[in-house]
Amino acid sequence: MLKAGDPLILDTSVIIAGFKRDPEVLASFGSAGTLYVPVTVYGEPYTGALKSATPEKKLEQLAEFMKAAVLLDVDWSTAQHYGRLRKQLEENGTPIPENDIWIAAITVQYGHKLFSADAHFDRIGELNLESFQQ
């Protein structure tokens, strides 16, 4: 359960829902402490903006959103978490998309809560997850 002031690591699914003005997501953004965006997450809506019919408008919207967030880059520790999580998922026969393993790794590394609509994050037991239902 999200508590006021909790830092949140955002997945692409909630960023997009925020752009669509989803009231639950916007309320969570408003009550959260710091909003963090992993670099792998940032790349996904950036790509979407470039592919859109109005790339300049979408890139501006993303840039404006990022003014309120802290970008998290990967480092050696993230890579080690990634390797361990990927190995566990493979051994359990429960793989998830590659970018999402990186997102999970950075979330575990920092110990914050991941805010996502993607159910497959439930496969990672040590992940502190705040789920959003679209």
Side-chain angles (χ1 to χ4, degrees), residues 65-100:
F65 174 79
M66 289 303 296
K67 289 179 183 177
V70 175
L71 188 68
L72 293 176
D73 204 355
V74 297
D75 60 18
W76 294 107
S77 179
T78 318
Q80 291 169 346
H81 286 288
Y82 165 87
R84 185 178 51 74
L85 292 173
R86 181 172 173 181
K87 179 181 178 286
Q88 288 173 354
L89 290 164
E90 287 175 359
E91 287 175 349
N92 293 338
T94 57
I96 67 174
E98 201 69 26
N99 272 358
D100 289 348

Side-chain angles (χ1 to χ4, degrees), residues 24-81:
E24 180 184 341
V25 170
L26 293 178
S28 294
F29 288 174
S31 68
T34 305
L35 299 175
Y36 294 96
V37 176
V39 69
T40 50
V41 167
Y42 177 73
E44 292 174 340
Y46 190 88
T47 302
L50 291 174
K51 291 179 173 183
S52 77
T54 57
E56 296 82 14
K57 177 182 172 190
K58 298 293 184 182
L59 289 170
E60 184 178 316
Q61 181 184 28
L62 181 59
E64 191 62 32
F65 174 79
M66 289 303 296
K67 289 179 183 177
V70 175
L71 188 68
L72 293 176
D73 204 355
V74 297
D75 60 18
W76 294 107
S77 179
T78 318
Q80 291 169 346
H81 286 288

Side-chain angles (χ1 to χ4, degrees), residues 98-110:
E98 201 69 26
N99 272 358
D100 289 348
I101 301 171
W102 284 105
I103 295 163
I106 209 163
T107 300
V108 170
Q109 175 184 357
Y110 284 91

